[in-house]
Amino acid sequence: MERLRFHTRQTTFRQLEIFREVAERLSVTEAAHALHLAQSSVSSQLGKLQQALGLSLFEQIGKRLYLTDAGREVLHSTRELFDALDRLEMRLGQLHGLTAGQLRLGVVTTAKYLVPRLLGPFCQAHPDVEVQFNVANRSEVIRRLQDNLDDLYVFSQPPEHLDIQATPLADNPLVVIAPARHPLAERRNLRWEYLADQRFISREAGSGTRRAIEEHFARCGWTLKPHMTIESNEAIKESVAAGLGIAILSRHTLVHTAPGNLVELDVEQFPIPNRWYLVRWRSKPPSPVAQAFSRFVSSGASLL
Ligand code: PGA
């Protein structure tokens, strides 16, 4: 037997709306009146709907109309459908007014110190925005960008090979850190060569911080020889504080460091200048919430 299909190409919302009116009143005359339509167009639209479904939705006994079993099923689903459309309309209206919606951010690990400070005032101004904050190192965030998983991204080294728009957000200086009681802590204008015998703790390959450091070292003609590689800024800070070596990290990572744990060394050619960027695909129209966030952070309404 041929499977019954709801032929959406032949069935219109208008036909379903007309059907609902008739089904709820069990009267073509009353439905036509309520819809400001001629009785003949109500009957003709009902006829088309029944033809498309291949089933009778009403039966007439004497002068009265009754819903068939199929009619009851269609009425039930039509109500659900219109409820869903109402909810969609409401949701779109809220999005339009920017009171609701989702903001998906792909953020490189080092930017996790900065982004919450941008999000705080934004979420206060838009309390119904739901934020999904995805944190990973640079190469993983590039993968998220290529897979189009988020609305906006924060990098300090935006990928050069992709058609993206990168808006500068804030400075992200990279500094040399050492344990607080380090013998060179009080020295000024240290030369990097002077630190060459120190054990150096580095972020992993794939990290934007590591990449910025390697580029800076190449420009200066220095060589980088990490003694230890750690995938986490926090673990690097702990290791430096514990005397395992020195490191180069974003100054932002030091914001919540307990005083007396770490010290920033004063080294020539440092800090390495670096910048945060808010990144999005040039060709992808931003959602209203993403647009609002971009406007918010670039208008200076945030802390920067
Ligand atoms: P990272 O990112 O956390 O991967 O080092 C910082 C960046 O992209 O510059």
Side-chain angles (χ1 to χ4, degrees):
M1 190 184 127
E2 202 193 324
R3 203 174 133 225
L4 273 179
R5 306 260 332 249
F6 205 91
H7 293 282
T8 46
R9 262 180 303 181
Q10 293 160 35
T11 308
T12 64
F13 284 130
R14 186 64 176 151
Q15 287 168 357
L16 290 172
E17 192 181 25
I18 290 172
F19 161 74
R20 185 180 60 173
E21 282 298 329
V22 177
E24 284 177 348
R25 295 161 196 272
L26 292 173
S27 159
V28 171
T29 318
E30 279 183 38
H33 186 71
L35 292 164
H36 308 289
L37 289 174
Q39 264 192 46
S40 55
S41 34
V42 170
S43 304
S44 123
Q45 292 301 327
L46 273 185
K48 285 184 186 159
L49 177 63
Q50 299 190 91
Q51 203 182 352
L53 299 178
L55 284 167
S56 295
L57 301 175
F58 296 100
E59 53 197 8
Q60 186 152 9
I61 302 176
K63 288 195 171 215
R64 290 196 58 185
L65 268 188
Y66 294 89
L67 278 169
T68 59
D69 286 348
R72 269 190 291 278
E73 278 304 320
V74 176
L75 178 60
H76 179 72
S77 298
T78 301
R79 283 180 176 145
E80 284 186 342
L81 186 65
F82 281 104
D83 282 348
L85 286 175
D86 286 346
R87 283 197 299 276
L88 173 65
E89 199 172 49
M90 203 172 70
R91 197 102 185 112
L92 292 179
Q94 286 174 334
L95 280 178
H96 193 66
L98 285 174
T99 56
Q102 209 186 33
L103 177 64
R104 284 161 308 183
L105 293 174
V107 171
V108 288
T109 26
T110 309
K112 74 177 182 199
Y113 304 91
L114 164 89
V115 175
R117 294 196 287 144
L118 303 175
L119 277 174
F122 178 77
C123 290
Q124 245 165 22
H126 304 287
D128 291 330
V129 169
E130 184 203 322
V131 180
Q132 218 186 77
F133 188 15
N134 303 298
V135 183
N137 76 9
R138 178 179 184 270
S139 54
E140 282 168 48
V141 179
I142 292 179
R143 211 165 304 131
R144 294 189 66 87
L145 170 71
Q146 283 171 320
D147 291 343
N148 191 23
L149 295 183
D150 304 296
D151 300 303
L152 295 168
Y153 303 83
V154 178
F155 287 97
S156 70
Q157 310 257 312
E160 300 87 6
H161 60 292
L162 301 174
D163 187 25
I164 51 166
Q165 179 182 307
T167 313
L169 276 183
D171 285 334
N172 175 34
L174 304 181
V175 297
V176 184
I177 58 165
R181 290 158 307 280
H182 195 278
L184 299 173
E186 301 303 321
R187 297 277 295 274
R188 293 289 155 260
N189 272 330
L190 284 163
R191 295 175 62 85
W192 176 259
E193 289 85 342
Y194 211 76
L195 297 168
D197 61 337
Q198 304 279 317
R199 292 178 66 82
F200 183 69
I201 307 176
S202 169
R203 283 286 305 274
E204 73 286 4
S207 143
T209 308
R210 164 94 169 236
R211 189 169 183 264
I213 297 168
E214 283 172 351
E215 285 173 2
H216 185 70
F217 273 51
R219 277 192 302 269
C220 295
W222 304 333
T223 39
L224 188 69
K225 280 191 265 127
H227 290 83
M228 196 188 269
T229 300
I230 306 184
E231 280 197 17
S232 137
N233 294 319
E234 291 307 311
I236 290 182
K237 280 165 33 182
E238 288 304 315
S239 306
V240 172
L244 288 171
I246 62 168
I248 301 170
L249 286 183
S250 160
R251 195 179 270 153
H252 285 279
T253 65
L254 305 176
V255 184
H256 298 297
T257 305
N261 256 356
L262 295 171
V263 68
E264 184 184 320
L265 296 183
D266 186 3
V267 185
E268 274 180 19
Q269 313 275 12
F270 282 89
I272 303 175
N274 209 13
R275 241 173 138 56
W276 294 119
Y277 294 88
L278 190 64
V279 168
R280 71 171 182 85
W281 281 113
R282 210 181 283 282
S283 55
K284 178 179 163 184
S287 71
V289 176
Q291 249 173 15
F293 184 68
S294 310
R295 266 200 309 271
F296 183 80
V297 292
S298 46
S299 71
S302 54
L303 71 160
L304 298 163

